[in-house]
Amino acid sequence: MHGRDPGYILVAHGSGGKLTGDLFRDLFLPAFRNPYLEQAGDQAVVPLDGVRLAVTTDSFVVSPLFFPGGDIGRLAVYGTVNDLAVGGAVPAYLTAGFIIEEGLSTEDLRRVVQSMSEAAARAGVSIIAGDTKVVERGKGDGLFINTTGVGWVPPGVELGPARIRPGDRLLVSGPVGDHGAAVMARRAGLDFEVEGLVSDTAPLAGLVQALLAAFPGAVRCMRDATRGGLATVLVELATASGKAFRVDEAAIAVREPVRGLCEVLGIDPLYAACEGRMVAVVAADVAEAAVELLRTYPDGQQAMLIGTVAEGPPGEVLMRTVAGGSRRLELLEGEQLPRIC
Amino acid sequence: MKFADEFRESSLARDLSRTLAREAEAIGRPVRIMEVCGGHTHAIFKFGLYDLLPPSVRMIHGPGCPVCVTPRAVVEMAVRLAEQPGIILCTFGDMMRVPGRTRSLAQARALGADVRMVYSALDALEIARRHPDRTVVWFAIGFETTVPGTASAVRRARAEHLHNFLLLCNQVTIAPALRAILEAPDVRVDAFIGPGHVSVIIGTEPYRFVAEQYRRPVVISGFEPLDILHSVFQILRQIRSGRPEVAVQYRRAVRPEGNRLALEVMEEVFEPRDQEWRGLGVIPASGLALRPPYADMDALRVFAGLLPPALPDPRGCRCGEVLRGVATPPDCPLFGTACTPSYPMGACMVSAEGACAAYYRYGRSTAAQPAAEVGEIARS
Amino acid sequence: MCLAVPARIERLHPNKMATVDLSGVRRQVSVELLDEVREGEWVAVHVGFAIARLDEQEARETLELLRQVAELADLPPAEEEPPPGLPRPAGPAAAKGASGP
């Protein structure tokens, strides 16, 4: 039984948490049902003439368009590329759809496009098709971008939550919550100076390919932590694998300004969005070596082991807190709102 | 010294936990402690402090969440104001999702109302300065910690002759609520963890009656895990010694006399009024109204016709009992089923500081055990 | 109910405003509720207002007290009196007023 649906869409339906899942399960999936969509992964993998084709799509609606450490263009490239990469796919091509609000400065658009071009080059993908639509003033938030990504999964690569075993270790590629905090700080009405608070927007394909090459078979499953943050990904993975996770809060790196902002606003950095961080579940015997390997990459310098897979209630993620107590992590519910008073 | 990290050390917490176990054993009977402030409720769950408290110490969650105690009719009034043409309604973030009668402010915003989430009353004031052609209503909620900021915004608005800045006032004071809890027939509380930041403003004197008249310890606590464990220790010691008093654990911030300047600006702008609290009913002199020189800034006066009659809690909702500490969230038939943080029905599910939201978010499994016991004892 | 966080005053501005550093995040807040704040001082910030000066000496004493209480865990019962962790009266001004009857 669920709470009352008001009968119209709320911002929280797009937060990547429980309401987004409800919408998928109750509305989209029944209408479009097929075996690929049913897997509800970050990307779909379809066989095509002997090749395993990976396809994903994502739309980007971030305000402000430019934020410390990134902009909507970079986000639109890396977000989609990362969804392909964590499935074990080699990203190859992108399409880009632009929905532009009348009045957007051409210079801003040029900056976004330039940034996309640089990001695509860095991620090793080509943007091969696109579309432009303009909506009247007031009917868009400056600029929305949709990207669709296509890649291929090399032979031998098998990843998925079903491969997760008790005893496996949980690895995160870097500090969490940077993107969510950087954007939150800039939101109208909050007015925080954000020096040192920079989005973690980055491509993950390099890290992923390195792990897969070094530890074939020992890497069970990967996910990128985006909306909903680290906690939501952990709960999703635990649920999908039917296992219980044990996590150590003290092992999870949260950068100082991120923690500062989250404390001021009373929000939880474990639920703040990331745009360049992945969670990998790896076999225990390679866990230390996998962290060492990731740390040799600029985007993985602060990679860390944060917990283990256990026998236990499926989907339960229990975290030992910094104070030594325990706390159960749940899916993000609703929007994270500043808890002020 | 960073005034926070030092008070989170897990090895010290573990040792404190063992000391607490000894103290609790020496007392030899269950002890029911109400943490008055929602911030403490939040910290207890966030840091998993239940695991560090002796089983005989039961925490009861008090009414100190301003979002939770705001009556439904006032939330509905905010929604109606937001839907008036020409009005910008400014609010703290956690008020956005509380349902009024028709809808919440978040839902009103989704349907086109101009609702803005701000960090400070001063931000609402700034919006009023920038939009002289619109009326800006500041949804002023909060306890004494928050009231001085609103009072300051009111004083500034008057000094600047800003005529488009109004307050929808639902501010409350803690001491009358404590008295109401102590007087309620169904409430059993042995001691209080006092609200640290309210006490920064009001000092220790307003709690004296709790120790003297009602013979209950009050320990004013900081919000870090070690602070809370330390406060529980002090409470247990007071109970053992049989000498209840008002003590300050949060000495790095709280002065016995409070904050003089904050009290002055509050006093200048607001006066006590009888106030309805969700769950506790009307408590005499527990609310704050604008004093006559500022009364023209009262949105309830300017838009008097919009205030709906009193609205009961939704059918089945036990927020009221949860707020008094006589029921725990899992006792409520709506908890986790019809009422979730995504679609909250009761106020305690909305604010992250509400007891229901804390239970829901931070693991119903870990909280379930002590919670059930609390409910039992509270009803006995 | 009332989230306040420690912050360091970085720069004082006219009109009783100040830029504070909240663990690496900066914001302008009002300091009108405090007497004579100085740059470099630590304060507790709540909804855009500095509401209290934070006292480092008191913080250290509280931590010391905490350590003493933690040590009680391993003492045999007979040695624990007088208890070092007994709450002190609330302070000089309140010693008569706010402590017990």
Side-chain angles (χ1 to χ4, degrees):
Chain A
M1 187 163 132
H2 296 286
R4 292 172 307 170
D5 180 336
Y8 46 88
I9 297 299
L10 300 171
V11 170
H13 281 101
S15 68
K18 185 166 175 304
L19 288 191
T20 311
D22 289 353
L23 207 56
F24 172 74
R25 202 184 46 247
D26 301 339
L27 202 148
F28 294 122
L29 186 58
F32 303 146
R33 187 177 294 283
N34 61 63
Y36 303 109
L37 194 62
E38 273 170 3
Q39 305 209 345
D42 287 333
Q43 76 296 100
V45 178
V46 292
L48 191 74
D49 205 13
V51 174
R52 287 188 293 169
L53 193 69
V55 183
T56 188
T57 191
D58 209 336
S59 301
F60 297 83
V61 291
V62 60
S63 175
L65 297 178
F66 302 91
F67 46 84
D71 56 75
I72 189 170
R74 264 173 90 169
L75 214 54
V77 171
Y78 292 150
T80 295
V81 165
N82 288 347
D83 278 346
L84 291 175
V86 293
V90 178
Y93 302 109
L94 289 186
T95 69
F98 297 86
I99 298 171
I100 306 168
E101 184 185 5
E102 189 180 23
L104 178 74
S105 96
T106 317
E107 185 47 38
D108 280 353
L109 184 59
R110 195 187 311 280
R111 277 174 67 197
V112 169
V113 169
Q114 180 59 32
S115 169
M116 287 179 80
S117 155
E118 287 162 16
R122 188 167 162 216
V125 293
S126 306
I127 299 175
I128 57 168
D131 176 52
T132 304
K133 294 284 185 295
V134 177
V135 296
E136 287 167 34
R137 201 178 183 99
K139 297 196 170 169
D141 205 355
L143 175 63
F144 302 143
I145 301 177
N146 169 274
T147 49
T148 294
V150 179
W152 53 281
V153 183
V157 172
E158 294 294 342
L159 296 171
R163 295 169 46 83
I164 295 175
R165 306 267 176 278
D168 287 350
R169 306 289 296 277
L170 305 169
L171 184 161
V172 180
S173 66
V176 298
D178 293 69
H179 177 73
V183 172
M184 178 85 74
R186 278 296 186 89
R187 250 159 86 165
L190 296 179
D191 278 344
F192 290 92
E193 281 180 43
V194 291
E195 191 185 318
L197 203 54
V198 178
S199 169
D200 54 359
T201 314
L204 290 169
L207 298 181
V208 168
Q209 295 305 327
L211 275 187
L212 289 175
F215 311 105
V219 179
R220 317 287 198 205
C221 182
M222 292 178 278
R223 284 279 167 91
D224 59 334
T226 54
R227 301 167 305 173
L230 174 65
T232 299
V233 174
L234 289 173
V235 175
E236 284 172 355
L237 271 179
T239 305
S241 67
K243 304 288 184 296
F245 288 1
R246 299 288 175 260
V247 177
D248 183 5
E249 186 176 22
I252 301 170
V254 179
R255 295 191 321 115
E256 185 72 12
V258 174
R259 203 155 70 102
L261 185 79
C262 287
E263 299 248 332
V264 177
L265 297 179
I267 63 180
D268 190 337
L270 300 183
Y271 289 89
C274 310
E275 286 294 345
R277 300 287 177 242
M278 65 167 179
V279 177
V281 186
V282 298
D285 56 344
V286 306
E288 300 285 345
V291 168
E292 288 309 315
L293 176 68
L294 288 186
R295 286 184 178 163
T296 63
Y297 288 78
D299 291 329
Q301 274 176 22
Q302 292 186 69
M304 57 215 165
L305 291 171
I306 62 159
T308 56
V309 178
E311 297 283 5
E316 181 189 81
V317 181
L318 262 193
M319 182 171 78
R320 187 182 166 78
T321 72
V322 287
S326 67
R327 169 185 151 190
R328 211 171 101 165
L329 299 183
E330 307 271 354
L331 290 178
L332 173 64
E333 289 247 9
E335 278 176 279
Q336 276 228 98
L337 292 175
R339 175 179 68 91
I340 289 165
C341 59
Chain B
M1 175 67 65
K2 299 177 115 175
F3 297 97
D5 298 15
E6 297 86 352
F7 296 87
R8 291 182 182 178
E9 197 190 314
S10 67
S11 63
L12 208 45
R14 204 169 44 237
D15 289 346
L16 277 173
S17 165
R18 289 165 51 222
T19 304
L20 288 178
R22 264 170 65 127
E23 292 296 316
E25 198 182 331
I27 291 173
R29 61 179 172 84
V31 175
R32 297 162 296 261
I33 302 173
M34 175 176 276
E35 85 275 3
V36 174
C37 171
H40 286 134
T41 307
H42 190 80
I44 286 166
F45 282 96
K46 180 175 174 211
F47 293 107
L49 297 188
Y50 270 118
D51 296 344
L52 300 172
L53 292 174
S56 64
V57 170
R58 283 93 195 241
M59 303 307 294
I60 298 172
H61 317 302
C65 161
V67 172
C68 304
V69 300
T70 300
R72 260 178 99 205
V74 178
V75 180
E76 177 64 16
M77 172 79 183
V79 170
R80 292 180 182 187
L81 277 169
E83 290 174 345
Q84 294 294 303
I87 285 189
I88 302 173
L89 190 112
C90 296
T91 176
F92 289 132
D94 30 7
M95 204 71 205
M96 292 286 288
R97 275 206 306 265
V98 187
R101 190 177 66 80
T102 48
R103 57 184 69 90
S104 67
L105 287 169
Q107 290 167 347
R109 184 180 67 177
L111 296 175
D114 194 344
V115 178
R116 305 200 190 173
M117 191 174 82
V118 298
Y119 168 68
S120 168
L122 294 181
D123 300 338
L125 190 65
E126 180 59 25
I127 291 171
R129 289 189 192 107
R130 281 190 210 154
H131 297 277
D133 53 326
R134 310 271 297 275
T135 298
V136 171
V137 178
W138 168 232
F139 194 176
I141 60 165
F143 284 81
E144 286 99 324
T145 323
T146 317
V147 174
T150 292
S152 155
V154 167
R155 201 164 60 175
R156 285 181 190 224
R158 180 52 34 98
E160 295 171 26
H161 306 290
L162 271 180
H163 298 300
N164 63 331
F165 183 72
L166 302 182
L167 295 193
L168 174 59
C169 231
N170 202 82
Q171 303 176 115
V172 288
T173 54
I174 197 65
L178 288 183
R179 192 181 290 275
I181 285 169
L182 286 161
E183 288 290 338
D186 53 356
V187 178
R188 304 276 180 277
V189 178
D190 294 318
F192 293 91
I193 288 186
H197 293 134
V198 162
S199 308
V200 158
I201 306 294
I202 67 175
T204 53
E205 178 67 19
Y207 306 106
R208 200 168 80 183
F209 74 95
V210 180
E212 291 187 357
Q213 239 178 292
Y214 295 91
R215 310 282 303 156
R216 306 290 207 286
V218 179
V219 176
I220 295 164
S221 178
F223 293 83
E224 299 300 333
L226 296 185
D227 289 323
I228 294 171
L229 295 174
H230 191 200
S231 299
V232 172
F233 171 79
Q234 296 193 4
I235 283 171
L236 296 181
R237 273 290 157 103
Q238 285 196 36
I239 289 174
R240 266 181 83 179
S241 72
R243 294 193 303 266
E245 59 179 10
V246 180
V248 181
Q249 183 279 334
Y250 195 26
R251 300 177 65 97
R252 60 191 183 277
V254 175
R255 320 273 176 269
E257 67 279 11
N259 179 330
R260 181 183 56 84
L261 290 174
L263 289 169
E264 276 173 16
V265 66
M266 262 173 80
E267 180 72 13
E268 179 191 325
V269 174
F270 294 107
E271 62 189 10
R273 72 168 178 212
D274 296 349
Q275 171 78 37
E276 189 199 337
W277 296 53
R278 192 190 285 226
L280 298 172
V282 174
I283 302 176
S286 68
L288 293 168
L290 287 160
R291 285 192 186 275
Y294 300 99
D296 56 321
M297 296 167 77
D298 185 352
L300 281 172
R301 177 180 289 213
V302 178
F303 294 93
L306 287 183
L307 181 68
L311 295 168
D313 280 338
R315 189 194 300 267
C317 174
R318 295 183 69 182
C319 273
E321 291 156 272
V322 169
L323 284 167
R324 289 201 305 277
V326 300
T328 58
D331 297 333
C332 175
L334 307 183
F335 176 77
T337 56
C339 184
T340 66
S342 291
Y343 294 116
M345 292 182 73
C348 301
M349 187 58 93
V350 175
S351 165
E353 297 192 349
C356 296
Y359 268 71
Y360 193 95
R361 269 175 215 279
Y362 292 138
R364 286 152 283 176
S365 63
T366 41
Q369 182 107 29
E373 288 170 9
V374 173
E376 230 172 72
I377 283 165
R379 280 193 297 273
S380 65
Chain C
M1 73 185 94
C2 304
L3 186 71
V5 292
R8 210 173 54 86
I9 306 245
E10 280 203 332
R11 218 168 45 254
L12 291 169
H13 307 293
N15 205 15
K16 303 258 183 192
M17 299 297 284
T19 301
V20 296
D21 178 349
L22 309 133
S23 307
V25 180
R26 285 194 189 76
R27 200 187 198 276
Q28 285 225 4
V29 303
S30 164
V31 291
E32 69 191 84
L33 301 178
L34 297 178
D35 282 315
E36 297 167 38
V37 281
R38 290 186 310 275
E39 290 175 2
E41 267 188 317
W42 282 82
V43 293
V45 169
H46 170 70
V47 298
F49 290 82
I51 56 168
R53 216 176 245 106
L54 293 177
D55 186 323
E56 182 158 352
Q57 182 59 31
E58 289 284 4
R60 287 188 199 291
E61 283 178 28
T62 301
L63 281 171
E64 181 48 39
L65 217 51
L66 272 165
R67 281 190 200 99
Q68 289 176 24
V69 175
E71 279 165 17
L72 286 180
D74 293 320
L75 283 185
E79 285 178 36
E80 75 177 48
E81 304 296 337
L86 247 190
R88 292 183 279 166
K96 292 183 206 77
S99 56

